[in-house]
């Protein structure tokens, strides 16, 4: 017998605008059965990720119209976007106030830190995405009251911004004025559009999923094309091999950003390496400086567009300033394991 028959269950929910693709979601908190499902999942990385992806999809209360099933979802969401959704689920499931143990980087003393998770939140969105303008305006038009300062700066003109800062430090849209694209950003968009006619190959900076960046590696001279992987790309990579060993899992994760390698001969011939197993093998063969170049360029072009959970604190023993930084992935799983 369904004891909840006739009742409409209500959940705590949280609006999330993904940092890289700029999509608007409304996520609810986890149920007891979903927590148990994650807690009792297999230790095989591919199985764990499969369950997490399914659970994340299942908690979506509202989503963009083009996402009609979980496969659409996987192809539309990047790994950094999933972190933002995990934060939203975390925020909707557990209490906002938490205690952590911080260790001073100067004297080594440990200290109990009481923080509010939402006050640690910061977002650095991919600024060229037109989706941001649409998602944020839909959110605000539907009654969303939480201001995101970074998105306000991107979307709204910063006229009279001194008068428009509320008591909590959020930049508010000018009252009774239509939102317009920031003139500086508009100038960048126009410049990108004008360059697209001249550059070959063209780079679509408006859509991070179609953006590709070509790098000539400094030591080997090989060309590598990097991208921002989706969770569908992650699925393909992990399901193509068991990846039971930690070093194999790490290599798979490190190479997801690589779309392909290209060896370009003086004769004009190009040897393309795009098989995932060959990419991993080639990556292992690279000089250290080449690997560092890949990671640095990935961060500059893709990786810095993400959410951060950081809070400043001062050591009571020596007075040194420290930063508490949380990684939402491990923190999410820790809460799953610890909470009843």
């Amino acid at each position: 017998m369904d004891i909840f028959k006739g009742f409409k269950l209500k959940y705590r929910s949280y609006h999330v605008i993904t940092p890289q693709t700029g999509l608007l979601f409304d996520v609810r908190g986890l149920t007891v059965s979903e927590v148990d499902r994650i807690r009792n999942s297999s230790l095989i990385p591919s199985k764990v990720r499969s369950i997490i992806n399914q659970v994340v999809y299942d908690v979506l209360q509202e989503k963009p119209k083009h996402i009609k099933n979980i496969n659409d979802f996987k192809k539309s969401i990047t790994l950094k976007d999933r972190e933002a959704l995990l934060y939203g689920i975390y925020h909707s499931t557990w209490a906002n106030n938490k205690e952590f143990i911080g260790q001073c980087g100067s004297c080594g003393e440990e200290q109990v830190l009481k923080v509010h998770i939402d006050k640690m939140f910061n977002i650095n969105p991919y600024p060229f995405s037109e989706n941001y303008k649409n998602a944020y305006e839909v959110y605000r038009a539907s009654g969303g009251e939480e201001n995101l300062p970074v998105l306000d700066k991107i979307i709204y003109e910063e006229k009279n911004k001194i008068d428009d800062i509320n008591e909590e430090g959020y930049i508010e849209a000018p009252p009774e004025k239509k939102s317009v694209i920031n003139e500086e950003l508009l100038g960048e968009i126009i410049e990108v559009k004008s360059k697209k006619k001249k550059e070959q190959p063209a780079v679509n900076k408006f859509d991070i999923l179609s953006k590709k960046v070509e790098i000539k590696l400094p030591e080997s001279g090989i060309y590598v094309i990097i991208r921002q992987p989706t969770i569908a790309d992650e699925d393909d990579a992990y399901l193509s091999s068991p990846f039971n060993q930690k070093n194999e899992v790490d290599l798979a994760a490190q190479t997801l950003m690589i779309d392909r390698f290209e060896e370009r001969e003086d004769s004009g011939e190009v040897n393309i390496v795009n098989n995932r197993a060959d990419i991993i093998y080639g990556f292992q063969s690279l000089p250290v400086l080449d690997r560092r170049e890949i990671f640095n360029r990935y961060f500059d072009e893709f990786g810095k567009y993400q959410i951060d959970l950081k809070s400043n604190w001062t050591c009571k023993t020596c007075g040194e300033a420290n930063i508490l930084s949380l990684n939402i992935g491990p923190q999410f799983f820790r809460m799953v394991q610890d909470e009843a």
Side-chain angles (χ1 to χ4, degrees):
M1 178 179 179
D2 185 357
I3 63 173
F4 295 110
K5 187 176 182 180
F7 292 89
K8 183 178 181 181
L9 296 179
K10 294 183 179 179
Y11 300 90
R12 292 171 58 189
S13 65
Y14 188 83
H15 282 92
V16 178
I17 299 181
T18 53
Q20 295 197 334
T21 54
L23 300 177
L24 175 63
F25 295 91
D26 180 16
V27 301
R28 62 165 171 81
L30 296 175
T31 64
V32 173
S33 63
E34 287 165 339
V35 171
D36 287 341
R37 185 182 179 192
I38 298 171
R39 182 189 288 134
N40 299 325
S41 61
S42 168
L43 295 179
I44 299 176
S46 61
K47 297 294 184 182
V48 174
R49 284 170 174 79
S50 178
I51 290 173
I52 285 295
N53 291 338
Q54 184 65 57
V55 169
V56 172
Y57 180 75
D58 289 343
V59 303
L60 301 181
Q61 301 281 78
E62 297 177 14
K63 52 186 179 292
K65 292 181 179 179
H66 73 277
I67 298 179
K68 302 184 184 303
N69 52 55
I70 192 170
N71 290 327
D72 293 340
F73 173 71
K74 290 179 180 180
K75 294 175 182 177
S76 303
I77 297 298
T78 71
L79 307 186
K80 299 294 183 182
D81 290 340
R82 185 175 58 192
E83 291 180 3
L85 291 171
L86 284 176
Y87 167 76
I89 299 170
Y90 180 101
H91 194 283
S92 302
T93 304
W94 294 290
N96 185 33
N97 53 315
K98 296 292 179 187
E99 290 188 357
F100 298 96
I101 301 296
Q103 184 174 36
C104 178
S106 178
C107 68
E109 286 292 315
E110 291 186 345
Q111 181 176 324
V112 177
L113 307 174
K114 296 182 179 181
V115 299
H116 288 272
I117 298 296
D118 59 348
K119 293 182 179 179
M120 300 178 69
F121 179 84
N122 182 56
I123 183 172
N124 182 27
Y126 185 63
F128 300 102
S129 175
E130 185 68 11
N131 285 336
Y132 271 106
K133 176 175 176 291
N134 299 331
Y136 192 55
E137 289 182 341
V138 167
Y139 164 65
R140 296 300 298 277
S142 63
E145 298 179 354
E146 182 179 359
N147 292 77
L148 298 177
V150 175
L151 297 182
D152 280 331
K153 288 179 181 179
I154 291 175
I155 296 171
Y156 296 107
E157 288 184 326
E158 294 186 45
K159 294 179 180 178
N160 306 317
K161 67 179 180 179
I162 295 178
D163 296 332
D164 294 324
I165 296 179
N166 64 22
E167 294 178 355
E168 298 173 339
Y170 289 123
I171 299 175
E172 300 204 7
E176 299 180 0
K177 292 181 181 179
K178 293 183 178 179
S179 59
V180 295
I181 299 178
N182 180 289
E183 290 181 0
E184 182 179 349
L185 177 61
L186 183 59
E188 293 178 2
I189 291 175
I190 293 173
E191 184 180 354
V192 170
K193 282 188 174 180
S194 64
K195 286 184 177 180
K196 283 178 69 176
K197 296 179 180 179
K198 302 176 183 179
E199 294 177 354
Q200 293 294 335
V203 175
N204 182 0
K205 298 188 74 172
F206 301 96
D207 179 5
I208 202 167
L209 296 182
S210 61
K211 179 180 179 181
K212 300 288 192 296
V213 176
E214 177 185 287
I215 309 168
K216 183 177 181 180
L217 299 179
E219 289 288 299
S220 63
I222 292 174
Y223 289 83
V224 60
I225 313 301
I226 61 173
R227 47 106 190 253
Q228 175 57 52
T230 64
I231 59 177
D233 294 322
E234 182 186 62
D235 265 3
D236 291 341
Y238 280 94
L239 292 175
S240 63
S241 177
F243 292 111
N244 290 320
Q245 301 299 319
K246 184 180 184 303
N247 63 329
E248 292 178 324
V249 173
D250 290 342
L251 276 171
Q254 289 174 2
T255 56
L256 282 173
M257 69 188 69
I258 299 175
D259 182 68
R260 64 185 184 275
F261 288 113
E262 292 186 1
E263 292 181 289
R264 300 178 183 177
E265 306 291 344
D266 293 338
S267 62
E269 293 185 3
V270 179
N271 178 30
I272 297 176
V273 178
N274 55 13
N275 176 275
R276 185 53 47 185
D278 293 337
I279 287 175
I280 292 175
Y281 177 79
F283 179 80
Q284 290 177 291
S285 305
L286 290 176
V288 172
L289 287 178
D290 282 354
R291 292 196 199 190
R292 185 179 303 170
E293 179 69 10
I294 293 174
F295 290 143
N296 289 343
R297 286 294 300 278
Y298 169 77
F299 179 80
D300 290 340
E301 299 285 351
F302 301 96
K304 65 183 179 182
Y305 304 115
Q306 60 181 343
I307 64 165
D308 288 312
L309 298 175
K310 293 181 180 179
S311 181
N312 298 322
W313 63 280
T314 303
C315 179
K316 294 180 179 178
T317 302
C318 69
E320 184 71 15
N322 291 271
I323 297 178
L324 172 66
S325 181
L326 300 182
N327 186 324
I328 189 60
Q331 184 60 32
F332 180 85
F333 284 102
R334 189 174 297 114
M335 292 301 294
V336 167
Q337 295 298 326
D338 293 346
E339 292 289 332

